Amino acid sequence: MAAAHATQRTITIAIPTALGTGLKALTMANDGGASVCFVTNGGGGDSEEAYMKKTTSKIVKAAVEAAKASGLEQLIEETDAAHDPLAWLTGDRMILSYTPMDDDQSMKDQRILLIGDPKEKVKAMAVQYGWTNAVHVSDYCEANPLVDPFGAARAGDPSKEIVVEPTSGHGFGRKGSLSTTGVDVDGDNAAAAAPSSSGPNHGYIGPIVAAPPPKFSQRPRSGSNATEEQPFDTVVVMTDPHDWFEALQAAVDVVCAANPNSEGVLEFDLGRCIPIHFSNPDIFWKAEHPQPRFGQGAFRIAFEGLFRARLSMMKVPPSLVDSVLRECIVQWGKPSQLTRSCCERRLSVNGTVPPSMWMVGDNPGSDMAIAAMGGKRWRGVLVRTGVYEDSDVTCGAEAVVNRVSDAVAYILGVEEREQAEREAEGC
């Protein structure tokens, strides 16, 4: 979404709807005295500056293609260093799903388990935000290889097959020991490689005790600063992780215990409840597949389910599980108060939040919902360019229009009329 602030007004425009008539809409907003910033649940590990450049380039390209189709290409020039009609939109006017986290000063010195891909982009953003003690989940799992018992097999190393070693007297196995010599599953050792269906593991779901992992110093990854002894202070899911198993296992482990890789039965410490931050609440998103794909919101649902199961295994009373979840989970992105507040800060003038702010978008559940939670200062306009259909609830939208340019024209007209009324009352 994008936000624009004029003399005493702000317009927020959802990025997906900004294509097509986006250039016209943004030019109208700028000419009308409105300052604009975008707000999106996307990001993909890009910096705000890089994402803004991608966005404005798409908007201008869409405008050029539309002009060519109408035989008016001579009226619009392709964007370049010398002729960029949206050069006034800089990185500080782009709010990605994780951008508001940069305002949380407490994260600067915390030890963070960082989840998300592309890995190098996510790590670069952590550095940009001043998270000096952030450790990417893949680095953590490489340093503690027994955390993810399937990691070596997925990496294609045939010398490291997963085996389960029965543990006498406990009724459960020690899962995660890696064979360095391999297992001949087709030969004489096949019976040893697979647990017996009549053995102690069959049909039993109980606590799993991991073999003691090597110290981090024994298997460091270049650039990593983690140590086994130092507990994490928080977990940050910055973008969607590519490897859900690895990310879910590590996140549940770290939130449940200060030293999750230690031997013995772990007990949940109710006095230590570290937060896990999710940047994007969207359960589904539109990819190239004809049907919606799972997004970070789905990852959160998976985490919650597994976290509940682990807390139950750790004997946390069922009556406390919901309160533990509420205390641990922090949701960012739209529609959240955290992201709305970030938008207001970005659009403030000399520290003063504009008295009138507008949201324009095609998604009632996120775009209009974030406007609805902002009180009288915020208003919304829905656009028929994407998610919204006429049969849907509008979530309090003041108007429904066809195009983004129509929304901006409507807002500027309302603001001009209301300003005239205020001036007339003052006479």
Side-chain angles (χ1 to χ4, degrees):
M1 103 186 36
H5 165 55
T7 319
Q8 287 188 328
R9 57 183 174 240
T10 299
I11 306 169
T12 305
I13 305 172
I15 283 180
T17 69
L19 303 180
T21 63
L23 179 59
K24 178 181 178 182
L26 292 169
T27 301
M28 286 172 58
N30 191 44
D31 292 346
S35 62
V36 177
C37 85
F38 289 82
V39 186
T40 175
N41 278 344
D46 281 334
S47 68
E48 289 78 7
E49 187 70 31
Y51 205 93
M52 178 63 86
K53 288 181 179 179
K54 288 181 180 179
T55 300
T56 55
S57 177
K58 289 179 181 178
I59 292 172
V60 173
K61 182 178 180 180
V64 170
E65 291 176 351
K68 288 180 178 179
S70 302
L72 301 174
E73 65 270 24
Q74 70 276 10
L75 299 181
I76 300 179
E77 297 184 68
E78 286 278 9
T79 180
D80 56 32
H83 304 95
D84 183 356
L86 298 179
W88 50 276
L89 284 171
T90 53
D92 64 330
R93 294 300 183 180
M94 176 63 71
I95 299 177
L96 306 174
S97 65
Y98 41 82
T99 300
M101 296 181 185
D102 189 26
D103 294 339
D104 189 338
Q105 297 302 311
S106 66
M107 289 188 184
K108 307 297 183 185
D109 299 321
Q110 290 181 337
R111 185 166 187 247
I112 299 173
L113 179 66
L114 186 63
I115 294 174
D117 289 291
K119 174 184 174 180
E120 296 307 322
K121 281 188 173 184
V122 168
K123 291 173 68 174
M125 288 308 301
V127 172
Q128 179 175 313
Y129 288 171
W131 299 347
T132 58
N133 204 14
V135 181
H136 194 272
V137 64
S138 64
D139 292 338
Y140 171 74
C141 288
E142 181 177 345
N144 299 279
L146 301 187
V147 169
D148 179 0
F150 307 106
R154 285 198 308 277
D157 187 345
S159 70
K160 293 183 172 64
E161 301 291 344
I162 307 302
V163 299
V164 177
E165 300 177 359
T167 303
S168 61
H170 294 283
F172 52 85
R174 184 177 66 197
K175 194 169 185 178
S177 298
L178 299 178
S179 169
T180 57
T181 58
V183 177
D184 179 14
V185 296
D186 297 320
D188 296 337
N189 294 327
S196 170
S197 62
S198 61
N201 296 299
H202 180 64
Y204 180 82
I205 301 177
I208 296 174
V209 181
K215 301 295 183 181
F216 195 94
S217 58
Q218 290 179 298
R219 293 190 52 154
R221 172 175 279 213
S222 176
S224 184
N225 60 349
T227 61
E228 182 203 358
E229 294 80 7
Q230 184 184 5
F232 286 98
D233 300 304
T234 190
V235 179
V236 173
V237 184
M238 179 173 280
T239 62
D240 296 10
H242 294 169
D243 189 337
W244 275 38
F245 182 94
E246 179 181 81
L248 285 168
Q249 183 68 75
V252 171
D253 284 352
V254 165
V255 176
C256 280
N259 295 297
N261 301 318
S262 61
E263 291 191 75
V265 177
L266 296 175
E267 294 183 359
F268 187 78
D269 182 1
L270 291 174
R272 174 200 173 270
C273 192
I274 71 169
I276 175 168
H277 300 263
F278 294 90
S279 72
N280 180 356
D282 294 343
I283 299 174
F284 299 103
W285 67 291
K286 178 62 178 174
E288 292 184 7
H289 193 277
Q291 302 301 322
R293 302 292 85 188
F294 291 140
Q296 194 183 128
F299 180 82
R300 171 181 165 171
I301 291 173
F303 170 83
E304 289 182 4
L306 294 171
F307 188 45
R308 284 178 181 274
R310 190 70 178 98
L311 290 176
S312 177
M313 182 183 292
M314 298 174 79
K315 310 303 182 184
V316 175
S319 60
L320 295 178
V321 170
D322 285 340
S323 63
V324 170
L325 278 167
R326 284 193 299 270
E327 186 175 350
C328 289
I329 292 177
V330 182
Q331 184 65 68
W332 304 72
K334 60 176 185 176
S336 71
Q337 293 283 4
L338 293 166
T339 294
R340 180 189 57 79
S341 296
C342 178
C343 188
E344 291 179 351
R345 288 192 298 272
R346 291 295 178 95
L347 293 165
S348 294
V349 178
N350 298 323
T352 301
V353 179
S356 179
M357 302 183 72
W358 291 81
M359 176 68 67
V360 178
D362 64 6
N363 190 332
S366 60
D367 300 325
M368 296 304 103
I370 202 172
M373 68 175 58
K376 294 182 178 180
R377 174 180 284 121
W378 284 79
R379 288 179 281 182
V381 178
L382 269 171
V383 183
R384 299 185 183 93
T385 57
V387 174
Y388 173 74
E389 296 180 358
D390 285 334
S391 60
D392 296 338
V393 296
T394 64
C395 292
E398 182 171 305
V400 180
V401 297
N402 292 326
R403 296 176 293 273
V404 181
S405 55
D406 296 335
V408 174
Y410 172 85
I411 293 167
L412 294 177
V414 169
E415 290 288 340
E416 183 177 352
R417 183 177 67 252
E418 291 180 352
Q419 179 65 27
E421 292 173 353
R422 286 191 294 269
E423 293 176 352
E425 291 173 358
C427 294

